[in-house]
Amino acid sequence: MPILSEITLYPIKSCAGISLQEATLTVTGLMTAQIYDREWMVVDGAGVCLTQREHPRMALITPSLKGSTLELRAPGMLRLEIPLDLPDPDQAPTLTTQVWDDTVLAYDCDELSAEWFSKAIGVPCRLARFHAKAERAVSRTWTSGVAATTMFSDGYPMLVAGAASLDDLNDKLRHAGRDAIPMNRFRPNLVVAGIEAFEEDYVDTFQLGEALLKPVKPCSRCPMPSVDQATGEFGPDPLDLMQGYRAKPELDGALCFGMNSILVAGEGQQVRVGQEIVVTLAF
């Protein structure tokens, strides 16, 4: 029986995630203890998102939940604590942010956090938080017209990957005389064990209790899987090897790993590691 083997929530876009034993499924992504997946984002002076693509050291910014705060640590830095309580949406300072082609209203976090992130990453930047009055719609091109929303993710609320898919890739890496890589290179929210390698590409729905999760688009991979999440440095890069068997014609030959997914039923459903999953294939 397929099971949910890993749950990871990423409070701040492109920073390290928090491994969880259970979480809540929402239409905008995973949620736990008052925080949502990709609820915060680091931006430059123009409000444009910063990511590990250009700033791999962001992988070393590690969040953890500490009571009513999100505690952040980074090498050589004193810890930073961010309050989890939402600001007053009518009085808190705001800024306009840009996530790829989307313009999103956000809270402007304070100068202390701006200084901390600027030092940790090495470039002037600020921390932004998704605004309570903002809504970021997912493109319906891949959802068959189904409405969905997300926060500061690249484009979809959740990313699902199969454990066997990574095993298959690592077998190929070892055969080529290279080291295996961990799943965190691909930064999925949910990992499913007990299905065949890349079977997630052909799934119609994953049912977890009353929740129904629908994969809608293969996740095309940028250079981020080449970032070692433990060192914040590039290399080794698995994408050259994936070129031979993970290029998707429907995405103009983009290399894909994992499936971008939306929640179509079961808002607020709790899921936990070890939970059985009913997998329905699309054919």
Side-chain angles (χ1 to χ4, degrees):
M1 187 74 180
I3 65 165
L4 182 58
S5 60
E6 296 180 35
I7 302 173
T8 306
L9 184 145
Y10 299 89
I12 305 172
K13 183 179 182 66
S14 241
C15 294
I18 300 176
S19 179
L20 301 171
Q21 287 300 301
E22 60 181 21
T24 302
L25 298 180
T26 80
V27 292
T28 60
L30 293 183
M31 187 270 282
T32 187
Q34 304 180 60
I35 65 172
Y36 288 82
D37 191 73
R38 276 85 171 189
E39 185 174 350
W40 286 267
M41 178 173 69
V42 185
V43 299
D44 65 14
V48 178
C49 67
L50 301 186
T51 74
Q52 289 184 35
R53 296 164 177 83
E54 297 81 23
H55 307 284
R57 284 185 57 82
M58 293 180 72
L60 304 182
I61 298 174
T62 305
S64 59
L65 291 168
K66 298 292 183 182
S68 61
T69 64
L70 181 67
E71 182 183 278
L72 301 174
R73 294 181 180 270
M77 302 282 295
L78 296 174
R79 71 175 183 270
L80 175 69
E81 293 192 7
I82 299 172
L84 296 181
D85 289 339
L86 282 171
D88 185 329
D90 297 316
Q91 297 185 19
T94 62
L95 74 164
T96 300
T97 66
Q98 185 175 341
V99 190
W100 312 130
D101 294 330
D102 295 333
T103 299
V104 185
L105 180 66
Y107 297 112
D108 185 2
C109 296
D110 59 26
E111 292 300 325
L112 177 63
S113 64
E115 292 174 7
W116 193 92
F117 275 90
S118 296
K119 183 176 180 181
I121 298 173
V123 296
C125 56
R126 305 189 67 80
L127 184 65
R129 186 176 188 178
F130 200 84
H131 199 280
K133 293 184 177 180
E135 182 175 283
R136 183 173 170 228
V138 167
S139 170
R140 298 193 185 191
T141 302
W142 289 87
T143 66
S144 301
V146 176
T149 59
T150 188
M151 290 194 172
F152 289 133
S153 70
D154 274 358
Y156 293 85
M158 281 170 274
L159 179 63
V160 180
S165 302
L166 181 66
D167 292 341
D168 181 85
L169 172 59
N170 279 333
D171 285 345
K172 289 179 170 60
L173 287 169
R174 294 188 191 97
H175 185 74
R178 296 158 64 173
D179 292 334
I181 59 175
M183 183 62 89
N184 64 10
R185 290 287 191 98
F186 297 97
R187 299 172 64 84
N189 295 113
L190 305 173
V191 178
V192 179
I195 60 175
E196 297 297 319
F198 302 107
E199 188 176 345
E200 62 268 30
D201 292 9
Y202 309 103
V203 169
D204 183 48
T205 57
F206 293 104
Q207 183 173 351
L208 301 95
E210 299 300 316
L212 208 59
L213 199 62
K214 185 174 182 63
V216 293
K217 183 184 181 183
C219 184
S220 55
R221 309 314 308 208
C222 63
M224 277 182 61
S226 67
V227 178
D228 187 328
Q229 299 296 297
T231 65
E233 298 177 349
F234 285 105
D237 188 352
L239 296 183
D240 61 337
L241 188 147
M242 292 170 61
Q243 185 71 50
Y245 73 114
R246 291 304 300 165
K248 290 283 187 179
E250 64 268 35
L251 289 172
D252 298 323
L255 305 182
C256 296
F257 188 103
M259 290 294 293
N260 291 299
S261 304
I262 61 174
L263 186 69
V264 294
E267 168 80 6
Q269 176 79 35
Q270 289 282 123
V271 294
R272 66 186 185 281
V273 170
Q275 179 174 347
E276 293 185 350
I277 301 174
V278 178
V279 176
T280 301
L281 297 178
F283 52 81

